[in-house]
Amino acid sequence: MSREQLAVERARRAFSTGRSKPLAYRIRQLNNLRRFLVERQSEIAEAAKKDLNRSEVGIQLFETLGLESEIQLVIKNLKKWAAPRAVEKNLVTLSDTLYIQPEPLGVVLVIGAWNYPWAVTLFPLIGAIAAGNAAVVKPSEVCVHTSKVMEELLNAYLDKELYPVVTGGVQETQELLKQRFDHIVYTGNSMVGRIVMEAAAKHLTPVTLELGGKSPCYIDKDCDIPLACRRVTWGKFTNCGQTCIAPDYVLCEASIQDRVIDEMKKCIKEFYTDDPKSFLDYGRIINERHFRRILAMTEDSTVAVGGESDHTECYIAPTILRDVKAGSKVMQEEIFGPLLPIVPVSGLEGAIDFINQGEKSLVIYVFSTDKKLINRLIEETSSGAVLANDCLVHYSVSSLPFGGVGNSGMGCYHGKFSFDQLSHLRSCMVRPLKNEGMNSMRYPPHTPGKLGWARFFLVQAPDLALMGRVGALAVLVAVAGILINVSTLTPHPVPQVWDAPPKKTELTWLPIQTPSREHHCSDAFMCALMLLCSLCRLIVR
C-alpha cells in the first residue's frame, strides 16, 4: 500500500468512528488550527520568505489574518449552520415534518496552490472540518519550504488520522487521485483542473475547481483615473502578479491610454520605489520555468513601463505593455506574473464584445462612477464575480461566495458557502401513520375523479403562506370590530366625588372630567387601524 493510499484509508477509518461529527469536536479542531496560525507565525513567515520573497507582514495581511477571521466566523455560526433547516409545506404535506439536515460527505481531498499556499489550502480545510468531514491535505510541491512546514507542524495541532498532510510532486498527486474521495477541492490552472475532474469522474466524486483565467479590467474615461490606476496597480502587482484574481489586462479607450500609463508609472514608484528589486514587499517569480514563460509573453508587445529582469533571482520588474492586440502572445493565456497589457477599445460596447469573445473569467473589474454603465457590464457579461472600483477585496468578504464559472472553475467556498459545499444537504420527511384518506387518490384504480383531486392539491393548491397571512388579517379585523363595537355600546359610568356640602341637609354630586364614549371609540379604532397596517406590511413583504 502506497503512502498516499495509506493516508486515505486511515482518514476513512477515522471518519467511520464518527468522532469528526460532534460540533464540540469540530470547534476544538478549528480552535487548534487558529492556535497553529498564531503560535507558528514565525515558521510560516520564514517559509513564505524563502518560497516567494514575501515579508512577515505581507503573509499575515494576505493570508493568515483572513484565515483567523474565517475560523472565528465559522465557530460563531456553526451551530446554526448545522441545525435542521425548515422548508415550506403544501396541502399534501401539511401534517408532515419536513426539513433539510446537513451531514458530512466523508473524506475530502484538498489540493492547494503555490501562489497563496496557506490561504488557498486552509480555507477549504476550514470548511471540511466545519462540515464534519475527514480531509487529506495536499500542499503544492512548488512551495517547497511552505509544504514542509505544513507537513511537520500542522499535524501537531490537528487530528493526524482525520486530517493528514501528504506532500510530494506530480507522481504523489496522481497516486492520490487514484483513491476514492467524497469531494475534491482543487485550486490551480485549467489544464490540471481537467486532469483532476477526469480522475474524479471514475469514482463519481464531485469537485470544486478554482481555476483563475484572464480577468479583464475596464477603466471608464470619465472616472477618477488616478484613483482607478492606483487600485489597479496595487491589485496587479501584489505578490508579483501571481494572484488568480489579479487584473490580467486593462481595457480602455485609446484617448486615455497614455494617461493611464503615466498614472500607473507613478503608483509603481510610490509602492515599490525606483528600485523594486531591492524593495522588501516586492516578490519574485516562483521558479525559473515560470520566469521564462512570463518573459516570452512580452516578445511581440511594446513595453511602456518596466521590463527589467534578472534570471538569477527570478525577478521581473512591474511591467506595463501598451497597444496590445488580441492576437498577442500575452493575451493567449493567464499571465500570472507582473505584466499588465493595455488593450485599447472603442468604449463600453467594445469592452463587452472583447470580454465575451474570451472564456469566462474568475472576476471582471470595472472602474466608473456611472451606475448604469456598471449595471450594463454586469448584465451583458458572465464571470465568477464582478468588482466595481477596486481590486481583489471581494475575496475577503465571507458573505460572498468565491468561485468561478465555465473555464474559470465550478463550485465555491467561503463562510457558509464552504460549509454547504462540503456537506450533503439531506432531505428529511416524517409522515404520520394516519390520514389515509388523502392517499386514496394515488392508489389504483386511477380515475378522472382522483386525477382532479390530485390536480387540485398539487397544481391548483393555494399559497399556504398567503392563506396564513389572510387568516391572521381576518382575525385582527374581527378583534378590531369587537373592540370598536364594545367601545361604542358599553355605557361608561361617570365617577363622582363628594364636595363640601353648603348645608347640612344637602349633598351635591360633582362629576370628574373623563373621556367621552366617542373618545374611547376613537382610541380603539386607531389601535385596530395600526394593527391592520402592520399586517398589511407583512403581506406585502
Side-chain angles (χ1 to χ4, degrees):
M1 185 178 291
S2 67
R3 180 171 64 101
E4 294 75 25
Q5 185 178 359
L6 184 61
V8 177
E9 288 300 319
R10 284 178 177 171
R12 193 167 295 282
R13 284 199 302 269
F15 175 77
S16 67
T17 65
R19 71 172 181 260
S20 66
K21 295 183 180 181
L23 296 188
Y25 186 85
R26 305 184 203 181
I27 291 173
R28 186 161 64 250
Q29 293 297 308
L30 290 170
N31 276 322
N32 289 344
L33 183 56
R34 178 166 55 184
R35 191 161 55 86
F36 162 77
L37 294 169
V38 174
E39 295 178 357
R40 299 295 186 170
Q41 186 60 55
S42 60
E43 290 95 331
I44 291 171
E46 184 180 353
K49 179 69 175 178
K50 292 177 181 178
D51 288 328
L52 292 158
N53 195 40
R54 300 267 289 281
S55 68
E56 184 171 352
V57 174
I59 191 73
Q60 291 187 52
L61 185 62
F62 290 103
E63 297 204 60
T64 60
L65 193 63
L67 291 168
E68 290 180 52
S69 175
E70 180 84 352
I71 292 172
Q72 184 176 337
L73 174 74
V74 171
I75 290 175
K76 178 182 177 182
N77 293 284
L78 185 56
K79 185 177 180 180
K80 179 173 63 176
W81 295 347
R85 306 174 188 181
V87 298
E88 192 173 331
K89 297 182 179 182
N90 58 28
L91 287 177
V92 177
T93 60
L94 202 56
S95 61
D96 303 333
T97 301
L98 307 177
Y99 61 96
I100 296 170
Q101 178 63 64
E103 65 176 17
L105 290 171
V107 181
V108 175
L109 173 62
V110 178
I111 304 177
W114 55 262
N115 59 329
Y116 291 90
W118 292 101
V120 298
T121 305
L122 297 192
F123 263 113
L125 177 62
I126 291 168
I129 295 173
N133 299 296
V136 177
V137 179
K138 172 60 180 67
S140 172
E141 70 279 5
V142 178
C143 277
V144 178
H145 302 91
T146 298
S147 178
K148 186 177 180 181
V149 170
M150 205 175 290
E151 180 185 27
E152 293 179 352
L153 299 182
L154 192 58
N155 284 151
Y157 289 80
L158 297 180
D159 189 315
K160 296 179 181 179
E161 294 182 334
L162 278 170
Y163 316 111
V165 178
V166 177
T167 59
V170 175
Q171 183 177 345
E172 288 76 13
T173 304
Q174 290 175 341
E175 183 64 28
L176 274 175
L177 289 173
K178 292 178 182 177
Q179 313 308 315
R180 183 176 69 83
F181 291 95
D182 299 288
H183 198 99
I184 298 175
V185 182
Y186 167 75
T187 303
N189 60 64
S190 58
M191 181 182 68
V192 178
R194 290 181 175 89
I195 296 173
V196 171
M197 195 169 183
E198 183 178 0
K202 295 178 182 178
H203 301 287
L204 294 178
T205 300
V207 296
T208 299
L209 304 177
E210 303 299 341
L211 306 178
K214 296 186 75 63
S215 296
C217 174
Y218 177 67
I219 300 178
D220 179 26
K221 66 179 180 179
D222 296 322
C223 76
D224 186 336
I225 292 178
L227 182 55
C229 291
R230 181 181 177 84
R231 295 182 180 181
V232 173
T233 302
W234 169 76
K236 177 61 183 181
F237 299 114
T238 291
N239 198 30
C240 206
Q242 298 168 120
T243 305
C244 61
I245 52 173
D248 193 87
Y249 60 94
V250 167
L251 299 168
C252 67
E253 293 186 32
S255 61
I256 66 169
Q257 180 180 210
D258 289 335
R259 188 179 176 196
V260 166
I261 292 172
D262 289 341
E263 294 295 339
M264 289 185 177
K265 184 176 180 179
K266 294 176 187 176
C267 293
I268 291 172
K269 182 177 180 180
E270 176 191 349
F271 294 161
Y272 305 112
T273 73
D274 288 323
D275 185 17
K277 185 178 180 181
S278 61
F279 189 66
L280 178 65
D281 284 315
Y282 187 73
R284 297 294 184 269
I285 305 304
I286 186 64
N287 55 35
E288 192 172 344
R289 181 176 68 85
H290 281 284
F291 173 83
R292 293 195 302 267
R293 177 187 63 82
I294 295 168
L295 278 186
M297 292 182 177
T298 65
E299 292 175 355
D300 58 351
S301 296
T302 302
V303 175
V305 177
E308 300 84 10
S309 64
D310 182 352
H311 75 277
T312 62
E313 294 187 20
C314 289
Y315 166 79
I316 299 177
T319 301
I320 299 175
L321 308 175
R322 64 174 300 133
D323 295 314
V324 175
K325 307 298 183 185
S328 301
K329 289 183 179 180
V330 75
M331 298 303 294
Q332 303 312 305
E333 61 177 278
E334 183 180 5
I335 298 169
F336 222 65
L339 309 180
L340 183 59
I342 298 181
V343 182
V345 291
S346 58
L348 179 63
E349 289 188 5
I352 291 174
D353 290 341
F354 192 93
I355 292 169
N356 289 336
Q357 287 173 11
E359 297 283 2
K360 296 179 181 179
S361 61
L362 196 52
V363 58
I364 293 176
Y365 297 106
V366 53
F367 286 83
S368 177
T369 55
D370 186 345
K371 291 184 179 179
K372 291 182 179 179
L373 184 150
I374 295 171
N375 289 335
R376 184 180 172 191
L377 187 138
I378 292 173
E379 292 171 359
E380 297 184 20
T381 61
S382 178
S383 60
V386 174
L387 176 54
N389 298 323
D390 211 339
C391 292
L392 310 187
V393 295
H394 66 291
Y395 181 83
S396 65
V397 183
S398 293
S399 57
L400 291 174
F402 177 74
V405 59
N407 202 62
S408 60
M410 62 182 66
C412 61
Y413 62 87
H414 270 183
K416 186 174 182 291
F417 300 100
S418 298
F419 180 87
D420 286 350
Q421 182 87 124
L422 298 177
S423 296
H424 169 53
L425 301 182
R426 191 179 192 183
S427 299
C428 297
M429 179 176 182
V430 181
R431 309 204 78 179
L433 200 58
K434 55 184 181 180
N435 300 331
E436 189 65 2
M438 174 71 74
N439 296 328
S440 62
M441 73 181 84
R442 73 188 187 191
Y443 297 142
H446 303 305
T447 64
K450 291 181 178 179
L451 177 62
W453 278 111
R455 178 174 294 278
F456 171 76
F457 282 110
L458 298 177
V459 180
Q460 300 173 339
D463 186 333
L464 291 181
L466 181 60
M467 286 179 62
R469 291 173 181 172
V470 171
L473 176 62
V475 171
L476 281 177
V477 169
V479 171
I482 292 172
L483 289 174
I484 293 171
N485 188 48
V486 169
S487 299
T488 306
L489 299 179
T490 304
H492 293 272
V494 180
Q496 295 172 318
V497 297
W498 288 97
D499 194 10
K503 297 179 182 179
K504 272 189 176 181
T505 55
E506 294 182 8
L507 295 176
T508 303
W509 296 91
L510 296 178
I512 290 177
Q513 294 297 322
T514 56
S516 65
R517 292 183 183 178
E518 290 76 17
H519 193 76
H520 278 278
C521 178
S522 176
D523 285 347
F525 179 79
M526 289 303 297
C527 180
L529 185 61
M530 288 175 66
L531 289 172
L532 290 177
C533 289
S534 298
L535 191 65
C536 287
R537 287 180 63 188
L538 289 175
I539 292 176
V540 169
R541 287 176 185 172

Short mmCIF file of all heavy atoms in Angstrom, two decimals, residues 302-322:
data_model
loop_
_atom_site.label_atom_id
_atom_site.label_comp_id
_atom_site.label_asym_id
_atom_site.label_seq_id
_atom_site.Cartn_x
_atom_site.Cartn_y
_atom_site.Cartn_z
N THR A 302 4.81 46.03 -27.00
CA THR A 302 5.62 47.21 -26.70
C THR A 302 5.62 47.49 -25.21
O THR A 302 4.55 47.66 -24.60
CB THR A 302 5.07 48.43 -27.44
OG1 THR A 302 5.05 48.16 -28.84
CG2 THR A 302 5.92 49.66 -27.17
N VAL A 303 6.82 47.54 -24.61
CA VAL A 303 6.95 47.82 -23.18
C VAL A 303 6.87 49.33 -22.95
O VAL A 303 7.64 50.09 -23.52
CB VAL A 303 8.27 47.26 -22.62
CG1 VAL A 303 8.44 47.68 -21.16
CG2 VAL A 303 8.31 45.75 -22.75
N ALA A 304 5.92 49.75 -22.13
CA ALA A 304 5.76 51.17 -21.81
C ALA A 304 6.41 51.52 -20.48
O ALA A 304 6.93 52.63 -20.31
CB ALA A 304 4.28 51.54 -21.77
N VAL A 305 6.38 50.59 -19.53
CA VAL A 305 6.97 50.79 -18.20
C VAL A 305 7.63 49.49 -17.77
O VAL A 305 7.07 48.41 -17.98
CB VAL A 305 5.91 51.21 -17.17
CG1 VAL A 305 6.54 51.35 -15.78
CG2 VAL A 305 5.23 52.50 -17.57
N GLY A 306 8.80 49.57 -17.15
CA GLY A 306 9.45 48.39 -16.60
C GLY A 306 10.13 47.55 -17.66
O GLY A 306 10.77 48.06 -18.58
N GLY A 307 10.02 46.23 -17.53
CA GLY A 307 10.63 45.31 -18.48
C GLY A 307 11.93 44.72 -18.00
O GLY A 307 12.44 43.76 -18.59
N GLU A 308 12.52 45.24 -16.91
CA GLU A 308 13.79 44.71 -16.41
C GLU A 308 13.59 43.33 -15.78
O GLU A 308 12.54 43.03 -15.22
CB GLU A 308 14.40 45.65 -15.36
CG GLU A 308 14.69 47.06 -15.86
CD GLU A 308 13.48 47.96 -15.81
OE1 GLU A 308 12.46 47.57 -15.21
OE2 GLU A 308 13.55 49.08 -16.39
N SER A 309 14.62 42.50 -15.87
CA SER A 309 14.54 41.15 -15.30
C SER A 309 15.92 40.67 -14.89
O SER A 309 16.94 41.18 -15.36
CB SER A 309 13.91 40.19 -16.32
OG SER A 309 14.74 40.07 -17.46
N ASP A 310 15.95 39.65 -14.03
CA ASP A 310 17.19 39.03 -13.57
C ASP A 310 16.90 37.56 -13.31
O ASP A 310 16.22 37.21 -12.33
CB ASP A 310 17.69 39.72 -12.30
CG ASP A 310 19.02 39.14 -11.80
OD1 ASP A 310 19.46 38.11 -12.35
OD2 ASP A 310 19.59 39.71 -10.86
N HIS A 311 17.41 36.68 -14.18
CA HIS A 311 17.08 35.27 -14.08
C HIS A 311 17.70 34.62 -12.84
O HIS A 311 17.20 33.60 -12.35
CB HIS A 311 17.52 34.52 -15.34
CG HIS A 311 18.98 34.29 -15.43
ND1 HIS A 311 19.87 35.24 -15.90
CD2 HIS A 311 19.73 33.19 -15.09
CE1 HIS A 311 21.10 34.75 -15.85
NE2 HIS A 311 21.04 33.51 -15.37
N THR A 312 18.77 35.20 -12.33
CA THR A 312 19.42 34.60 -11.15
C THR A 312 18.53 34.70 -9.91
O THR A 312 18.65 33.90 -8.98
CB THR A 312 20.77 35.30 -10.86
OG1 THR A 312 20.54 36.67 -10.57
CG2 THR A 312 21.70 35.16 -12.05
N GLU A 313 17.63 35.70 -9.88
CA GLU A 313 16.71 35.86 -8.76
C GLU A 313 15.25 35.63 -9.16
O GLU A 313 14.35 35.82 -8.34
CB GLU A 313 16.85 37.27 -8.16
CG GLU A 313 18.18 37.56 -7.50
CD GLU A 313 18.18 38.90 -6.79
OE1 GLU A 313 17.07 39.40 -6.48
OE2 GLU A 313 19.26 39.44 -6.54
N CYS A 314 15.03 35.24 -10.41
CA CYS A 314 13.66 35.11 -10.93
C CYS A 314 12.90 36.42 -10.72
O CYS A 314 11.72 36.43 -10.32
CB CYS A 314 12.93 33.94 -10.28
SG CYS A 314 13.53 32.32 -10.81
N TYR A 315 13.57 37.53 -11.01
CA TYR A 315 13.00 38.85 -10.81
C TYR A 315 12.51 39.42 -12.13
O TYR A 315 13.25 39.44 -13.12
CB TYR A 315 14.03 39.80 -10.19
CG TYR A 315 13.64 41.26 -10.27
CD1 TYR A 315 12.73 41.80 -9.38
CD2 TYR A 315 14.21 42.09 -11.25
CE1 TYR A 315 12.38 43.15 -9.46
CE2 TYR A 315 13.87 43.44 -11.32
CZ TYR A 315 12.94 43.96 -10.43
OH TYR A 315 12.59 45.28 -10.50
N ILE A 316 11.29 39.89 -12.15
CA ILE A 316 10.74 40.65 -13.27
C ILE A 316 10.11 41.91 -12.69
O ILE A 316 9.28 41.84 -11.79
CB ILE A 316 9.70 39.85 -14.07
CG1 ILE A 316 10.32 38.58 -14.66
CG2 ILE A 316 9.10 40.71 -15.19
CD1 ILE A 316 9.33 37.69 -15.40
N ALA A 317 10.51 43.06 -13.19
CA ALA A 317 10.01 44.33 -12.68
C ALA A 317 8.53 44.51 -13.04
O ALA A 317 8.03 43.90 -13.99
CB ALA A 317 10.82 45.47 -13.27
N PRO A 318 7.80 45.32 -12.28
CA PRO A 318 6.44 45.68 -12.67
C PRO A 318 6.45 46.27 -14.08
O PRO A 318 7.13 47.26 -14.34
CB PRO A 318 6.02 46.72 -11.63
CG PRO A 318 6.90 46.46 -10.46
CD PRO A 318 8.20 45.99 -11.03
N THR A 319 5.72 45.62 -14.99
CA THR A 319 5.83 45.96 -16.42
C THR A 319 4.45 46.25 -17.00
O THR A 319 3.50 45.50 -16.78
CB THR A 319 6.49 44.80 -17.19
OG1 THR A 319 7.79 44.58 -16.64
CG2 THR A 319 6.61 45.11 -18.66
N ILE A 320 4.37 47.34 -17.78
CA ILE A 320 3.12 47.70 -18.47
C ILE A 320 3.38 47.65 -19.96
O ILE A 320 4.37 48.20 -20.46
CB ILE A 320 2.65 49.10 -18.04
CG1 ILE A 320 2.37 49.13 -16.54
CG2 ILE A 320 1.40 49.50 -18.82
CD1 ILE A 320 2.02 50.51 -16.00
N LEU A 321 2.48 47.00 -20.69
CA LEU A 321 2.56 46.87 -22.15
C LEU A 321 1.47 47.71 -22.78
O LEU A 321 0.31 47.67 -22.33
CB LEU A 321 2.42 45.41 -22.56
CG LEU A 321 3.35 44.40 -21.85
CD1 LEU A 321 3.00 42.98 -22.27
CD2 LEU A 321 4.80 44.71 -22.15
N ARG A 322 1.78 48.44 -23.86
CA ARG A 322 0.81 49.33 -24.49
C ARG A 322 0.40 48.82 -25.87
O ARG A 322 1.10 48.04 -26.50
CB ARG A 322 1.36 50.75 -24.61
CG ARG A 322 2.58 50.88 -25.51
CD ARG A 322 2.97 52.35 -25.69
NE ARG A 322 1.86 53.10 -26.29
CZ ARG A 322 1.44 54.28 -25.83
NH1 ARG A 322 2.02 54.85 -24.79
NH2 ARG A 322 0.43 54.91 -26.42
#
